Amino acid sequence: MKNRLYQKKHKFWLLAGALTFGVFYSCSDDFLDVPPEGQAVESQFFQTQAHALQAVNSIYGNLREWNNIAFAHLALTTVSSDDADKGSVPGDAGFMNLYDQFTVTPTEGQLNGYWVGQYQGINLANRVLDNVPNIEMDEALKTRLLAEAKFLRAYHYFNLVRAFGGVPIVSKVPETPEELNPARATREETYAFIEQNLTDAAAVLPTAYGAADIGRATKGAALGMLAKVKLYQSEWQDVLSLTEQVMGLGYSLTPDFYQIFRISGENNSESIFEIQAQTIPGNCDASNSQWAEVQAVREQFGWGFFTPTEDLVNAFEPGDVRKEATILFRGETTPEGDLINPNAPNPRYNQKAYVPSSVTQACGYGKDQNIRILRYAEILLMHAEAANELGQTGKAESSLNMVRERAGLDPITFTTKEEMRMRIWHERRVELALENGERFYDLVRQGRAEQVLRAHGKNFTTGKNEVFPIPLNQITLSGGKLVQNPGY
């Protein structure tokens, strides 16, 4: 039986409070679909192999939930950077300006939304890890599903630690008040927990799947995410080793950069992990990804938020094909023949989120647009950065220039470590721009967020704005056990 994500509602405990959310379960033809019928009773669940599949599918379904990929995610990761402005029109969602100017306070709603979205995914993973081991089923499949759950739990904690610093670690479904309301772990403890989950997952996950399971976490995804976690801690030898393991798994750069971000380019030879999105005829309520819609051209396709800055436009070198594939200009005609409204409110939009009007979109704009989380190009850039820091200049040049040459640019020759470091950082910016919110976190880990963001007119303060405030709602629910970040 193939797998289909399927929506079911039941009550579960979320960190710092008892909340009710929709959870996605199912079993049918495709593990991406999420029809709402056929609800199961909680006490009758986790009994069969089908239940195990459905429970893991629920974690994948949660990845594209509103809090995880739309306003909350884009507020924290994208409008906070020098790559994007708020966009839209002045009177719409003015709270986004708080993230643009780093004046956000603990009561702002997107903070709580982001926190809840991540812990919802963690809770779903914990339910799998607690209950699936007791199911009588195919042991190889069971082991793989548990590894998928660990990968996805690590992904959510990686989002949290970058946004808030150390966070409460919930490693099982809470059964006592103390387990329900743990204190914050340190940043180091949180990273160690993430690393263990990814290490466990990488040891089990396959390098590839059959057609029915495309999009599930693979060994390459676990190793690549672990390399990224190590990157954020400047553990260069580990980054080098892990990226080289991924480089040996058969991934390759897609020749046409523009096509990576079209629906026809999903899950291609460069893709390591994508959030899968697929509409379901007759069940549009379950086709819930709005990542593309909120960024699409206002008054033509979507809402027009998170628009490219002029500084980002100017960051592309002459002849860089990535500029055209990343920036959608007002008044241009796309390769698919769409004339972008010359009178649109904003001069530029995110072309990586663009879906041509010729594509059938029965459930709304961009609902079938996957979200690229990890690509082979980023593996090469992490490899180049680690090699440069370790003095292995030949490796650094080779990996960096593979990315540049695909973009139509001349190769770079090493001069000094410092110069090479800046070139690699620049390449990360233009390669990954407006894709998955890397730029702000990159500036923070590179130690130059205040310098760059203040030059862009933002009120970033070192020692405070590297992380966002813990949502006041979560501090209140914890009875004050959660401690606020400094400066908030």
Side-chain angles (χ1 to χ4, degrees):
M1 180 179 290
K2 297 180 184 177
N3 312 325
R4 175 180 290 176
L5 294 179
Y6 158 96
Q7 187 172 28
K8 145 187 182 326
K9 293 184 179 179
H10 65 81
K11 293 183 179 180
F12 66 80
W13 290 100
L14 180 71
L15 176 71
L19 305 175
T20 303
F21 293 94
V23 181
F24 306 89
Y25 289 149
S26 132
C27 182
S28 189
D29 292 334
D30 191 311
F31 93 98
L32 304 177
D33 293 356
V34 193
E37 68 274 7
Q39 297 181 5
V41 178
E42 173 82 2
S43 61
Q44 298 172 351
F45 206 71
F46 290 112
Q47 302 296 317
T48 68
Q49 179 167 300
H51 289 164
L53 285 163
Q54 292 160 16
V56 174
N57 293 345
S58 74
I59 319 173
Y60 287 101
N62 180 69
L63 293 176
R64 65 176 188 251
E65 193 266 336
W66 169 264
N67 282 326
N68 291 331
I69 52 89
F71 266 18
H73 165 72
L74 293 164
L76 271 67
T77 67
T78 303
V79 80
S80 56
S81 76
D82 55 340
D83 280 357
D85 293 322
K86 166 185 167 288
S88 185
V89 294
D92 196 359
F95 55 82
M96 288 295 177
N97 292 318
L98 302 175
Y99 295 88
D100 180 83
Q101 289 299 314
F102 294 93
T103 54
V104 65
T105 65
T107 59
E108 208 296 299
Q110 303 311 307
L111 293 169
N112 194 62
Y114 193 70
W115 181 282
V116 166
Q118 305 305 319
Y119 273 108
Q120 181 171 340
I122 290 164
N123 179 80
L124 292 170
N126 285 341
R127 299 188 81 81
V128 167
L129 293 164
D130 281 7
N131 291 287
V132 168
N134 300 320
I135 298 176
E136 291 187 8
M137 59 179 289
D138 180 89
E139 287 299 320
L141 176 59
K142 177 191 291 187
T143 301
R144 194 202 82 197
L145 292 176
L146 294 172
E148 290 180 60
K150 285 190 175 183
F151 170 84
L152 294 166
R153 182 168 68 177
Y155 170 76
H156 284 296
Y157 271 113
F158 188 43
N159 290 338
L160 285 166
V161 74
R162 290 190 295 173
F164 300 109
V167 293
I169 294 175
V170 184
S171 60
K172 56 176 290 193
V173 177
E175 297 178 352
T176 68
E178 292 74 21
E179 291 174 345
L180 179 64
N181 190 27
R184 289 182 68 177
T186 65
R187 178 180 180 272
E188 292 73 22
E189 290 168 339
T190 307
Y191 270 119
F193 183 73
I194 295 167
E195 290 174 12
Q196 188 61 61
N197 277 259
L198 292 172
T199 300
D200 292 348
V204 170
L205 291 172
T207 57
Y209 291 94
D213 289 310
I214 294 295
R216 291 185 177 276
T218 61
K219 180 180 293 291
L223 291 172
M225 193 64 69
L226 182 56
K228 196 166 181 176
V229 169
K230 296 289 189 178
L231 179 80
Y232 273 79
Q233 300 170 89
S234 301
E235 296 179 7
W236 301 117
Q237 189 59 56
D238 286 340
V239 176
L240 190 74
S241 174
L242 289 161
T243 51
E244 288 182 351
Q245 290 181 60
V246 178
M247 291 162 71
L249 293 178
Y251 297 102
S252 62
L253 295 177
T254 302
D256 187 340
F257 186 82
Y258 181 79
Q259 290 302 321
I260 295 171
F261 305 98
R262 308 287 67 82
I263 289 176
S264 61
E266 293 173 350
N267 302 309
N268 58 32
S269 64
E270 184 168 344
S271 173
I272 297 179
F273 189 69
E274 301 181 11
I275 295 176
Q276 306 292 308
Q278 181 176 329
T279 54
I280 309 160
N283 285 293
C284 287
D285 286 346
S287 305
N288 58 331
S289 175
Q290 291 184 265
W291 181 82
E293 183 180 21
V294 299
Q295 300 178 80
V297 181
R298 192 177 178 93
E299 299 178 4
Q300 184 173 10
F301 297 133
W303 302 2
F305 285 95
F306 314 108
T307 54
T309 62
E310 185 176 359
D311 189 71
L312 176 60
V313 174
N314 294 334
F316 291 93
E317 299 170 51
D320 191 335
V321 301
R322 294 171 297 192
K323 178 179 178 180
E324 171 56 32
T326 304
I327 314 294
L328 190 61
F329 292 95
R330 180 171 56 191
E332 78 164 86
T333 299
T334 69
E336 294 81 8
D338 284 327
L339 172 64
I340 302 306
N341 183 3
N343 300 312
N346 311 102
R348 298 170 295 271
Y349 296 90
N350 180 1
Q351 192 146 345
K352 290 180 178 178
Y354 160 69
V355 179
S357 60
S358 59
V359 174
T360 301
Q361 300 177 74
C363 291
Y365 188 85
K367 295 298 177 70
D368 286 310
Q369 180 83 326
N370 283 4
I371 305 166
R372 281 68 174 174
I373 301 299
L374 188 61
R375 293 191 286 114
Y376 187 55
E378 186 174 5
I379 297 297
L380 292 172
L381 292 173
M382 289 193 288
H383 182 256
E385 187 169 349
N388 183 60
E389 296 301 328
L390 294 170
Q392 300 183 31
T393 58
K395 288 183 176 182
E397 283 184 354
S398 176
S399 290
L400 174 63
N401 287 329
M402 286 176 66
V403 176
R404 287 182 57 80
E405 288 166 9
R406 196 263 300 272
L409 301 174
D410 293 334
I412 286 174
T413 302
F414 180 83
T415 51
T416 67
K417 176 189 280 191
E418 292 70 27
E419 175 65 20
M420 193 66 162
R421 181 186 297 135
M422 295 302 296
R423 296 306 298 263
I424 294 167
W425 286 353
H426 172 81
E427 210 65 37
R428 278 188 65 87
R429 182 187 188 187
V430 293
E431 176 71 26
L432 304 174
L434 305 177
E435 193 167 327
N436 187 36
E438 296 301 319
R439 175 63 172 172
F440 171 70
Y441 295 138
D442 269 345
L443 290 173
V444 169
R445 75 172 177 85
Q446 292 160 5
R448 58 194 188 116
E450 180 168 322
Q451 171 195 349
V452 172
L453 295 176
R454 282 192 173 270
H456 193 68
K458 296 176 182 282
N459 296 317
F460 185 97
T461 301
T462 299
K464 174 183 177 181
N465 298 129
E466 290 87 352
V467 291
F468 293 94
I470 302 296
L472 180 60
N473 187 53
Q474 298 301 321
I475 293 175
T476 301
L477 287 169
S478 77
K481 192 170 185 179
L482 283 179
V483 179
Q484 185 58 268
N485 282 326
Y488 293 106

